[in-house]
Amino acid sequence: GGWRGGGSNPALEAALRDYEKVHKRMLKLASKKKTRGKARFVVFQVCCGELGNRLLGLASALLYALLSGRALLIDWPEIEGFSGDSYGALLEPAHGLPVLFAPLLKEWGLPYAEAQRLGMLETLELNNARPEPFETVLCRNVSVAHDDRVFLVLSTNQYFAPALRHNAFHSAQVAALMDGGRAGNPNTFRAPSDPGQGMFAQLLHYIARPQAGLQKELDEWAAANFAGRRVVGVQVRRQMRERDKKGAGTTDQHQDTYWACAKVLL
């Protein structure tokens, strides 16, 4: 089968169809011991944060895969916490091909630490800790960067796709993929006449579709609670760390103010 889009962005849809061929080719190389050293993968690895942050990093990793010629694998296991479900429990890729990193390592009989020791794996920690790992996505040609590594692991909770957009090696290609070269905000590529088709939405729609059972549950809940009603959504982010309680966190007073504004809109 493979993925077929809705026709809103022919350039990106063509690139994603080509990407499916790359993904299949890399999996085929990886399936045989004598050729697996020729396979090249970029691995999105959950590092921290909750579901929203993970989706930001995942969408960015897909763009990295498109630009680098690598196949995207996902290292998102079940994790203790508020958003603890694994990728496979919640989501699936539109192309329907294997994407999980752990089963591939298991098939190879290769522990993660051993892959590092053998020089097959390199990790870029793209988070708030330090800027140096961003040099690759901002300044290097990612189609050849780290090309001696089978696995390039992007451990991130950040939306770094705009950094790839501003990378001199890839800016024109990203512009052509995401909005056909139309002028607009270079960080979103949201055309005024086409709301909802920003860069993040287009990438995420391909790599993180809700599992069928979850989508059914969501649709039923939306029909039961939203149908025939005017709805105002309010997201309140409560920070409960000690440093936030001393001034940066959301207070009960803030929350009451948000709800008051929502009631006015209703």
Side-chain angles (χ1 to χ4, degrees):
W3 178 75
R4 298 295 178 267
S8 60
N9 189 337
L12 179 60
E13 291 181 9
L16 290 172
R17 285 192 290 271
D18 288 341
Y19 167 77
E20 290 180 11
K21 299 174 184 176
V22 171
H23 197 101
K24 291 176 181 177
R25 185 170 73 251
M26 295 305 172
L27 290 178
K28 184 176 181 180
L29 289 170
S31 68
K32 299 178 181 179
K33 192 171 183 177
K34 64 180 181 180
T35 59
R36 63 178 53 162
K38 298 179 181 179
R40 291 294 180 268
F41 297 98
V42 58
V43 181
F44 166 69
Q45 183 181 71
V46 170
C47 71
C48 44
E50 302 293 350
L51 179 60
N53 288 90
R54 296 170 192 175
L55 294 177
L56 293 174
L58 178 59
S60 301
L62 173 60
L63 182 58
Y64 192 104
L66 291 174
L67 298 175
S68 66
R70 291 173 176 262
L72 175 62
L73 298 178
I74 299 172
D75 186 13
W76 179 341
E78 184 175 344
I79 301 172
E80 184 177 352
F82 182 72
S83 300
D85 293 300
S86 67
Y87 172 87
L90 297 173
L91 307 164
E92 60 185 3
H95 55 57
L97 300 170
V99 293
L100 299 183
F101 182 42
L104 181 62
L105 289 184
K106 185 177 180 180
E107 179 184 333
W108 287 13
L110 184 67
Y112 190 95
E114 183 67 5
Q116 288 180 306
R117 189 188 69 80
L118 294 173
M120 300 174 65
L121 182 152
E122 185 168 348
T123 301
L124 299 181
E125 296 182 356
L126 302 174
N127 52 48
N128 294 328
R130 57 195 184 93
E132 290 83 1
F134 284 89
E135 185 263 345
T136 294
V137 298
L138 277 169
C139 305
R140 298 180 66 181
N141 182 341
V142 301
S143 68
V144 296
H146 312 283
D147 60 356
D148 58 336
R149 300 294 196 267
V150 175
F151 303 107
L152 180 63
V153 178
L154 306 180
S155 180
T156 184
N157 66 349
Q158 300 290 305
Y159 184 51
F160 61 87
L164 291 166
R165 162 63 180 92
H166 291 288
N167 182 317
F169 288 101
H170 303 292
S171 59
Q173 183 181 359
V174 176
L177 285 177
M178 303 316 303
D179 70 351
R182 295 177 298 221
N185 185 334
N187 294 332
T188 63
F189 296 98
R190 185 186 300 278
S193 61
D194 197 11
Q197 288 298 313
M199 180 161 63
F200 173 70
Q202 293 181 78
L203 293 168
L204 193 67
H205 177 69
Y206 180 79
I207 197 59
R209 292 185 174 181
Q211 291 280 359
L214 177 59
Q215 186 63 62
K216 182 175 182 292
E217 185 178 340
L218 291 170
D219 292 342
E220 290 173 351
W221 190 92
N225 292 275
F226 293 165
R229 300 178 182 178
R230 185 176 182 184
V231 178
V232 176
V234 178
Q235 179 187 12
V236 179
R237 185 167 185 172
R238 297 299 298 265
Q239 298 286 2
M240 302 306 293
R241 296 170 297 187
E242 285 302 317
R243 68 181 185 184
D244 297 318
K245 293 178 182 177
K246 295 177 181 178
T250 303
T251 65
D252 290 338
Q253 184 178 2
H254 290 144
Q255 185 168 307
D256 291 342
T257 301
Y258 300 148
W259 282 115
C261 290
K263 290 177 181 178
V264 170
L265 291 173
L266 290 171

